[in-house]
């Protein structure tokens, strides 16, 4: 009773003082919309896996050490044309430009974009073919110069010793000089013989130079294979004879806008004429580029979904509601959406693929609440009540019922907060906030607008256009015809439910069980190429990258040790890397396109075949001799930045593939870290799998698993909420039976129609339960009210469906129409999700309409059974003999 009075007072005040109420709601909606316009889109790793997840933490540690996921520049050119011509010099300049580390003198001669990259300094590591070859030249020249210097010093020392020895023997000055010269020449001759031996072994006839095709050819190409075939050990640089790869790891602490700016600068650089190749081209791709492209798509997608929602909802409301104020529920929904997304912005949230889907769904639900109140208002006005009293009566009678439905819906949606995937959690919580605001705005601004519509207006002598009249007449005719047909169907459903409730429930349960079995066999599409917009340029570039090279992403295995240069640790890494490659069909005779996995740049590439006979000091000496900007792609630096750190990187190139297959690959790699029958990591060594491919696969696995337990959890949450409100098990069970059965029917329909499921479909069961519960709760509550005034079961059901059934049907249509707006999305994940949800909601609504009467009749029978049994027991009991008077 108290709740009814509160709802009634709020509605009555809104009708009496409509302008202040409408002004306040409008101001909040406008402010929220303005705040929402500054929302940033987020398609990054934070939306996939919880920060407490071990894979997420491993990836964060990897990025802190080595930089974020790589932007890849695919160099499309015949390899000999690229590395044996002046193209190599252009590529070297481009790599220096992309690194942002070009000297000031070089920047003066490079295009202006290079200065912009240097000022932003987004790149931590740039690893490419020209840099690699240039370092080979530098290192060989450095080693050669060092050896010549050492040989010269050794010769001088030998000459000095010979001179001293000749002097001690009393030889003349000329003899002493001759002895010294002979000793020096002997040392130099030995050095020259060794140098000639090395030159003969490696076929080096002159000092190496980057512009020496002979030297470059000997490093890059495999002479045992057809001309132009690169060595397989350099597949991370030269995946085949027609392409090369430049990898750019950005700083991990860049903001989203800085990352987008950096990617834009990289694209601008490769497009600059100064770096244009002769008979070659560039393609900028990689995970960050796809994320940036998808984020940009999300920014435009929300406006498309908003426009589609308004159009679809406007058409639906025009067809299902009577004049006036057919579009009032849409205004309520838009206000609720504006305030909701404004609150998201003020709380520091962002737009993810899931939160964008909230918009059309929320519009559909908020329209639903407004329709329910509007239907109650129409009933009250038809009884002759003036506007304030009509508002109080409509809100007083409908408010508790609709409010209970809102609470049940919110409880079901809140279960999504238990999802292991952050973007699903934010999707559920944002909807909870939105449905609450939708209810409040429908109760206040909705009634204020209804009150204004009843006020007399001055006639201005203007007539509505003839076209408007025709559209209105056709809408009335459509509504009348549809109403008669649906009424006939509803009457037949009521008749069957009343006369044969047991048969209806048996048939419904059988179909639901079949659906649950079929649903467990339904596969989930998780290949990003089938879920992202096919028109997305970044996705097309990923396809190009994979088609040309066989890989499109990078999976990382980090090895952390107190002494990462321990020969035992390095040898274990090499053996582990080789074992993984062999298990997934990569050998020296294959290319990346022919294998499941491919080698990428790793610490083991900096050493020879074995370092077992070397020492940690020698390994550190080798690593310290390599420039930090080059070696930090594979080994971390110590905090001072002057020496070797404690973490190494073993990288593998992988193709885009369905995430369930990707998870199997990752699980196999994890299993090989401590596999049976092979030595495990040396003591004190920790090994982890990291990278976005691991995060994406983990998120998909979490979503697939939650698909089975989220619906029962949502059903339980709704039941607990209804128990708190009704404090009656019967009143809780009755509205939930058709909803629970509908989850099985919808699975059966989806399986029969062969509709595709995707990772977002994990939320489907909980979402349908949360939304469809409202329909069942409202009808069941109206039935209880009709029974409370003494009507029979059949008459109560007829009046319930006659008075409230139409509003529930309209609410179901508008809620479904909200998901239909997702069909306008260019993002296939959202589009397919919307299509499947339309089917599920339609089936759930049909379940409420056709099965709820049978459940209500069955519940009445169960309630009357104890009383009938008691009457039967009293009738069957033997009469007691009368006792004689004292």
């Amino acid at each position: 009773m108290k709740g009814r009075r509160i709802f009634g007072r709020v509605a009555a005040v809104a009708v009496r003082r409509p302008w202040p109420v409408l002004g306040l709601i409008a101001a909040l909606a406008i402010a929220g919309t303005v705040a929402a316009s500054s929302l940033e889109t987020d398609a990054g790793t934070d939306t996939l896996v919880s920060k407490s997840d071990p894979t997420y933490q491993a990836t964060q540690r990897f990025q802190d050490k080595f930089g974020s996921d790589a932007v890849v520049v695919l160099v499309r050119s015949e390899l000999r044309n690229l590395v044996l011509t002046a193209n190599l010099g252009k590529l070297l300049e481009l790599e220096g430009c992309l690194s942002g580390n070009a000297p000031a003198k070089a920047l003066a001669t490079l295009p202006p974009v290079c200065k912009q990259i240097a000022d932003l300094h987004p790149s931590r590591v740039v690893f490419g073919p020209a840099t690699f070859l240039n370092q080979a030249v530098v290192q060989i020249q450095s080693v050669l110069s060092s050896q010549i210097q050492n040989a010269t010093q050794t010769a001088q020392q030998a000459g000095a010793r010979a001179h001293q020895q000749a002097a001690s023997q009393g030889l003349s000055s000329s003899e002493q000089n001759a002895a010294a010269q002979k000793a020096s020449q002997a040392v130099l001759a030995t050095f020259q013989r060794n140098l000639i031996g090395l030159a003969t072994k490696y076929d080096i006839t002159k000092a190496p130079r980057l512009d020496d095709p002979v030297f470059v050819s000997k490093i890059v190409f495999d002479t045992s294979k057809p001309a132009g075939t690169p060595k397989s050990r350099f597949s991370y640089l030269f995946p085949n004879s027609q392409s090369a790869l430049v990898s750019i790891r950005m700083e991990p602490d860049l903001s989203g806008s800085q990352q987008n700016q950096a990617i834009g600068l990289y694209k601008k650089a490769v497009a600059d004429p100064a770096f244009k190749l002769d008979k070659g081209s560039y393609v900028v791709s990689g995970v960050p580029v796809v994320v940036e492209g998808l984020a940009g798509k999300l920014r435009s997608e929300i406006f498309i979904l908003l426009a589609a929602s308004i159009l679809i909802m406007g058409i639906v409301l025009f067809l299902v509601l009577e004049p006036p104020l057919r579009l009032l529920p849409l205004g309520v929904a838009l206000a609720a959406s504006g305030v909701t997304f404004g609150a998201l912005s003020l709380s520091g949230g962002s737009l993810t693929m899931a939160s964008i889907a909230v918009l059309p769904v929320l519009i559909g639900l908020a329209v639903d609440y407004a329709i329910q109140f509007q239907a109650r208002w129409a009933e009250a006005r038809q009884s002759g009540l003036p506007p304030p009293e009509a508002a109080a009566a409509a809100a007083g009678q409908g408010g508790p019922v609709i409010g209970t439905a809102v609470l049940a819906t919110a409880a079901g949606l809140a279960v999504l907060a238990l999802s292991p995937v952050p973007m699903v959690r934010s999707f559920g919580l944002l909807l909870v906030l939105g449905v609450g605001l939708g209810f409040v705005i429908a109760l206040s601004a909705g009634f204020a607008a209804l009150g204004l519509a009843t006020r007399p207006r001055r006639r201005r002598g203007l007539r509505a256009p003839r076209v408007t009249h025709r559209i209105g007449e056709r809408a009335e005719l459509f509504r009348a015809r549809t109403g008669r047909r649906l009424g006939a169907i509803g009457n037949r459903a009521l008749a069957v439910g009343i006369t044969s409730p047991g048969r209806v429930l048996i048939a419904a349960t059988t179909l639901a069980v079949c659906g649950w079995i079929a649903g467990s066999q339904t596969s989930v599409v998780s290949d990003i190429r089938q879920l992202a917009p096919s028109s997305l340029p970044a996705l097309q570039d990923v396809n190009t990258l994979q088609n040309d090279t066989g890989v499109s992403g990078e999976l990382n295995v980090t090895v952390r040790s107190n002494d990462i240069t321990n020969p035992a640790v390095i040898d274990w890494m090499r053996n582990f890397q080789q074992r993984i490659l062999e298990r997934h069909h990569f050998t020296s005779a294959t290319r990346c396109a022919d294998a499941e996995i491919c080698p990428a740049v790793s610490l083991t590439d900096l050493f020879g075949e074995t370092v077992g006979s070397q020492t940690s000091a020698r390994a550190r000496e080798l690593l310290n001799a390599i420039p930090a900007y080059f070696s930090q792609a594979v080994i971390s630096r110590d905090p001072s930045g002057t020496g070797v750190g404690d973490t190494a990187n073993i990288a593998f190139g992988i193709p885009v593939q369905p995430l369930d297959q990707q998870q199997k690959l990752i699980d196999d790699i994890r299993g090989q870290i401590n596999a049976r029958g092979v030595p495990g990591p040396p003591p004190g060594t920790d090994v982890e799998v990291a990278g976005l491919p691991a995060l994406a696969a983990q998120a998909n696995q979490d979503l697939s698993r939650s698909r089975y337990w989220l619906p029962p959890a949502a059903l339980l949450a709704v039941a607990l909420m209804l128990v708190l409100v009704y404090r009656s098990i019967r009143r809780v069970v009755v509205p939930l039976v058709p909803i629970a059965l509908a989850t099985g029917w919808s699975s059966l329909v989806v399986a029969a129609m062969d509709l595709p499921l995707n990772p977002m479909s994990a939320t489907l069961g909980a979402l349908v339960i949360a939304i469809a519960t409202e329909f069942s709760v409202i009808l069941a509550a109206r039935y209880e009210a009709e029974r409370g005034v003494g009507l029979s079961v059949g008459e109560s059901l007829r009046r319930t469906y006659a008075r409230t059934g139409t509003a529930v049907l309209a609410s179901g249509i508008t809620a479904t129409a909200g998901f239909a707006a997702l069909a306008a999305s260019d993002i296939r994940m959202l589009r397919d999700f919307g299509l499947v949800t339309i089917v599920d909601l339609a089936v759930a609504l049909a379940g409420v309409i056709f099965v709820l009467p049978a459940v209500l009749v069955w519940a009445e029978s169960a309630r009357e059974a104890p009383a009938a049994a008691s009457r039967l027991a009293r009738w069957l009991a033997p009469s007691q003999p009368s006792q004689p008077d004292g």
Side-chain angles (χ1 to χ4, degrees):
M1 293 295 293
K2 183 177 180 181
R4 289 186 177 183
R5 287 197 298 270
I6 293 174
F7 289 130
R9 287 175 183 173
V10 170
V13 169
V15 170
R16 291 191 180 98
R17 303 180 183 278
W19 292 115
V21 173
L22 289 173
L24 175 62
I25 298 300
L28 290 174
I30 293 171
T33 302
V34 172
S37 64
S38 63
L39 277 170
E40 289 192 1
T41 54
D42 185 2
T45 56
D46 287 357
T47 67
L48 296 177
V49 178
S50 174
K51 292 183 178 180
S52 61
D53 186 90
T55 304
Y56 177 86
Q57 294 176 351
T59 300
Q60 288 299 111
R61 286 191 287 268
F62 169 81
Q63 293 183 349
D64 289 341
K65 300 286 188 181
F66 300 102
S68 61
D69 292 280
V71 174
V72 178
V73 178
L74 170 64
V75 187
R76 308 183 78 184
S77 171
E78 201 277 325
L79 207 53
R80 287 176 296 185
N81 176 65
L82 177 65
V83 300
L84 304 181
T85 68
N87 281 335
L88 186 60
K90 294 180 180 180
L91 185 59
L92 181 63
E93 289 184 338
L94 174 62
E95 291 175 18
C97 174
L98 296 174
S99 72
N101 293 321
K105 273 187 182 180
L107 281 177
T109 61
L110 290 174
V113 65
C114 301
K115 177 69 165 57
Q116 294 176 290
I117 294 175
D119 292 340
L120 182 62
H121 200 68
S123 310
R124 174 173 289 191
V125 179
V126 174
F127 195 92
T131 305
F132 167 76
L133 292 170
N134 188 57
Q135 279 302 306
V137 170
V138 171
Q139 289 301 310
I140 292 175
Q141 289 178 342
S142 175
V143 170
L144 182 59
S145 175
S146 176
Q147 288 182 345
I148 291 174
Q149 184 177 359
N150 290 337
T152 301
Q153 290 178 350
T154 303
Q156 290 174 348
Q157 292 170 357
R161 287 195 299 271
H163 189 281
Q164 185 178 7
Q165 185 176 3
S168 65
Q169 293 175 354
L171 299 179
S172 65
S173 176
S174 58
E175 290 174 328
Q176 293 176 20
N177 292 335
Q181 185 176 7
K182 183 178 179 181
S184 297
Q185 288 176 346
V187 171
L188 291 175
T190 301
F191 170 71
Q192 287 175 350
R193 284 195 301 272
N194 292 336
L195 194 60
I196 291 171
L198 288 173
T200 302
K201 179 179 179 180
Y202 294 104
D203 196 20
I204 300 175
T205 59
K206 57 183 176 180
R209 292 169 53 90
L210 192 63
D211 57 358
D212 180 1
V214 175
F215 168 75
V216 172
S217 182
K218 289 172 182 176
I219 291 183
V220 174
F221 298 110
D222 189 339
T223 56
S224 66
K225 294 182 179 179
T229 302
K231 296 176 181 177
S232 60
R233 62 177 297 196
F234 298 138
S235 59
Y236 52 86
L237 293 171
F238 310 107
N240 53 51
S241 62
Q242 300 297 320
S243 59
L245 297 175
V246 179
S247 297
I248 310 165
R249 290 193 176 279
M250 292 188 288
E251 295 288 351
D253 56 353
L254 295 178
S255 66
S257 60
Q258 288 175 324
Q259 283 192 7
N260 295 342
Q261 182 184 359
I263 291 171
L265 291 174
Y266 296 152
K267 292 179 177 179
K268 185 178 179 181
V270 300
D272 195 283
F275 304 122
K276 181 177 176 59
L277 299 175
D278 179 29
K279 299 179 182 179
S281 61
Y282 303 104
V283 176
V284 180
S285 186
V287 169
V289 179
V290 175
V291 170
E292 187 267 342
L294 188 56
K297 189 67 177 177
L298 293 180
R299 283 190 287 272
S300 61
E301 201 70 14
I302 191 142
F303 296 105
I304 295 173
L305 291 179
L306 178 61
S309 299
I310 293 174
L311 178 62
I312 293 173
M313 205 61 67
I315 294 172
V316 170
L317 291 175
F318 196 83
L319 293 176
V320 303
L321 292 186
E322 297 180 358
L325 297 182
R326 285 188 173 111
L327 299 182
L328 173 60
L330 180 56
V332 169
L334 292 176
S337 300
V339 177
T340 300
F341 280 89
L344 176 65
S345 177
L346 294 176
S347 65
S350 58
L351 289 176
T352 66
M353 192 177 298
S355 61
I356 281 179
V358 167
L359 180 62
V361 176
L362 177 56
I363 288 177
L365 292 176
V367 162
D368 171 10
Y369 305 141
I371 286 176
Q372 292 295 331
F373 277 123
Q374 203 160 332
R376 301 277 181 162
W377 161 270
E379 284 186 32
R381 288 289 290 157
Q382 288 173 3
S383 66
L385 293 175
E389 287 76 7
Q397 294 175 3
V401 176
I402 300 171
T404 299
V406 171
L407 289 175
T409 297
L413 295 172
V415 167
L416 295 178
L418 302 177
S419 172
V421 179
M423 73 174 181
V424 173
R425 293 201 295 267
S426 64
F427 173 75
L429 295 177
L430 195 60
L431 270 178
V432 170
L433 174 63
V435 298
L437 288 171
F439 175 79
V440 171
I441 293 175
L443 180 63
S444 55
F447 275 107
L450 289 170
L452 278 178
T454 61
R455 293 187 176 185
R457 298 179 181 179
R458 295 179 182 177
R459 293 187 177 181
R460 301 181 180 272
L462 297 176
R463 301 179 63 183
R466 184 176 299 178
V467 174
T468 304
H469 281 300
R470 289 180 179 176
I471 294 175
E473 289 173 359
R474 291 181 179 179
E476 293 296 332
L477 183 61
F478 171 81
R479 187 163 47 252
R481 289 177 178 174
T482 305
R484 286 194 297 271
R485 291 173 182 172
L486 292 177
I489 294 173
N491 288 334
R492 287 195 293 270
L494 282 175
V496 174
I498 292 171
T499 57
S500 305
R503 293 180 180 179
V504 171
L505 290 177
I506 290 173
T509 303
T510 302
L511 287 175
V513 171
C514 293
W516 290 326
I517 295 173
S520 65
Q521 306 301 315
T522 304
S523 59
V524 178
V525 176
S526 58
D527 191 328
I528 186 64
R529 293 171 296 180
Q530 300 180 40
L531 298 176
S534 57
S535 60
L536 190 67
L539 186 60
Q540 296 171 359
D541 291 340
V542 164
N543 288 332
T544 300
L545 176 63
Q546 179 153 316
N547 292 337
D548 283 15
T549 68
V551 298
S552 56
E554 184 177 290
L555 185 68
N556 304 101
V557 178
T558 59
V559 181
R560 189 168 63 252
S561 174
N562 293 333
D563 184 6
I564 199 67
T565 56
N566 183 340
V569 175
I570 297 174
D571 280 342
W572 181 88
M573 285 191 285
R574 176 181 292 102
N575 294 333
F576 170 80
Q577 181 186 37
Q578 191 60 37
R579 187 165 67 250
I580 295 298
L581 293 173
E582 289 176 356
R583 286 177 63 85
H584 297 282
H585 316 304
F586 182 89
T587 66
S588 59
T590 60
R591 307 306 304 171
C592 292
D594 304 319
E596 297 175 354
I597 201 169
C598 185
V601 59
S602 303
L603 176 64
T604 52
D605 298 321
L606 302 183
F607 296 95
E609 291 300 320
T610 179
V611 294
S613 60
Q614 298 184 11
T615 64
S616 295
R618 180 71 185 93
R620 286 180 178 273
E621 182 181 343
L622 172 62
L623 291 171
N624 286 328
I626 300 173
Y629 76 86
F630 191 78
S631 64
Q632 65 183 351
V634 295
I635 192 165
S636 64
R637 313 301 293 181
D638 64 17
S640 66
T642 59
V644 173
D646 63 353
T647 307
N649 174 32
I650 304 174
F652 299 97
I654 62 172
V656 174
Q657 58 188 312
L659 293 178
D660 54 344
Q661 295 181 20
Q662 192 163 290
Q663 184 63 49
K664 291 178 181 178
L665 172 65
I666 293 168
D667 287 342
D668 182 73
I669 292 175
R670 285 198 178 104
Q672 289 302 310
I673 294 173
N674 288 289
R676 291 183 179 180
V678 295
T685 304
D686 296 322
V687 184
E688 298 177 315
V689 179
L692 185 59
L695 288 177
Q698 183 65 50
N700 180 70
Q701 185 180 66
D702 291 341
L703 280 168
S704 297
R705 290 174 177 173
S706 65
R707 178 176 144 209
Y708 299 104
W709 61 263
L710 272 177
L715 202 63
L716 178 61
V718 170
L720 292 175
M721 181 59 70
L722 293 179
V723 165
L724 292 175
V725 175
Y726 290 139
R727 302 185 184 279
S728 166
I729 298 298
R730 185 185 65 83
R731 292 195 66 183
V732 171
V733 171
V734 166
L736 290 185
V737 168
I739 302 303
L741 295 177
T743 60
W745 308 334
S746 60
S747 296
L748 188 61
V749 173
V750 168
M753 296 178 66
D754 196 24
L755 292 176
L757 298 181
N758 60 54
M760 276 198 69
S761 301
T763 67
L764 198 57
L767 194 62
V768 171
I769 288 171
I771 295 173
T773 294
E774 176 206 338
F775 312 144
S776 194
V777 166
I778 289 175
L779 285 173
R782 186 62 181 255
Y783 169 82
E784 293 291 339
E786 299 295 349
R787 285 286 282 158
V789 298
L791 297 179
S792 66
V793 172
E795 184 60 27
S796 295
L797 281 171
R798 279 188 286 273
R799 293 189 65 175
T800 295
Y801 276 71
R803 293 185 174 184
T804 306
T806 303
V808 167
L809 182 61
S811 296
I813 292 173
T814 56
T816 305
F819 285 94
L822 291 173
S825 174
D826 191 37
I827 300 176
R828 184 175 172 183
M829 178 182 283
L830 296 182
R831 189 169 64 247
D832 290 349
F833 172 65
L835 179 61
V836 174
T837 310
I838 289 172
V839 173
D840 280 14
L841 276 180
V843 171
L845 182 60
V848 170
I849 292 175
F850 291 103
V851 177
L852 183 61
V855 179
L856 288 168
V857 173
W858 170 76
E860 288 285 356
S861 302
R863 181 166 57 179
E864 293 176 358
S870 179
R871 289 195 299 271
L872 181 63
R874 287 197 301 271
W875 183 76
L876 293 174
S879 58
Q880 298 295 328
S882 59
Q883 298 294 329
D885 296 337

